[in-house]
Amino acid sequence: MKLRDADGLSFSVPIDYVVKIVEHFKKNGRVVRPWLGLKMLDLNPMVIAQLKERSSSFPDVSKGVLVPMVTPGSPAERAGFAPGDVVTEFDGKPVETIKEIIGIMGDKVGVPFKVLVKRANNVPVTLTVTPEEADASR
């Protein structure tokens, strides 16, 4: 799509996103998105090194998704997530990015997912989280 009066500026939306949105509208009359109540950060070697420098108890991971914040009253809080958790598996699949977690969840609201996290001092914990439908007012 090109924008009028925006010389040379254009953007596109991948067709697979458009197809999913159209399917949601046909099925529900709206777009359904799952919500966990987690702030997440993709880990990379530089971030991991900085976190290990700050705290020797930071989990010994080379990849994963850091949870710096858990929303009070959210599905994630009820499941037992805690700030500092590092998600290493979601629904039995290894994850390295937030995008992978979002892809695994898809549009599944009310469906429980098993999540493997590593906590301080390399303590592994398996949690079960059930996403709720995202509310635009949150």
Side-chain angles (χ1 to χ4, degrees), residues 22-116:
V22 169
E23 287 172 1
H24 280 275
F25 274 111
K26 284 181 179 177
K27 184 178 174 185
N28 308 306
R30 66 189 190 287
V31 176
V32 176
R33 299 247 188 257
W35 177 70
L36 297 176
L38 293 174
K39 297 290 183 196
M40 297 184 278
L41 173 71
D42 292 344
L43 290 175
N44 61 48
M46 184 178 75
V47 172
I48 292 169
Q50 290 175 347
L51 291 168
K52 284 184 178 185
E53 199 174 282
R54 285 188 191 166
S55 172
S56 61
S57 66
F58 186 79
D60 186 24
V61 294
S62 59
K63 54 190 164 196
V65 178
L66 177 66
V67 175
M69 190 187 110
V70 180
T71 303
S74 68
E77 183 186 56
R78 290 191 297 275
F81 279 89
D85 284 349
V86 176
V87 178
T88 57
E89 287 184 17
F90 199 93
D91 199 31
K93 298 166 189 73
V95 291
E96 297 180 26
T97 65
I98 299 164
K99 187 175 181 177
E100 290 172 330
I101 292 172
I102 292 169
I104 293 167
M105 282 195 308
D107 61 356
K108 298 178 189 106
V109 171
V111 176
F113 291 96
K114 293 266 187 228
V115 183
L116 179 61

Side-chain angles (χ1 to χ4, degrees), residues 122-135:
N122 295 315
V123 175
V125 178
T126 301
L127 305 170
T128 301
V129 64
T130 303
E132 295 176 357
E133 185 172 346
D135 180 352

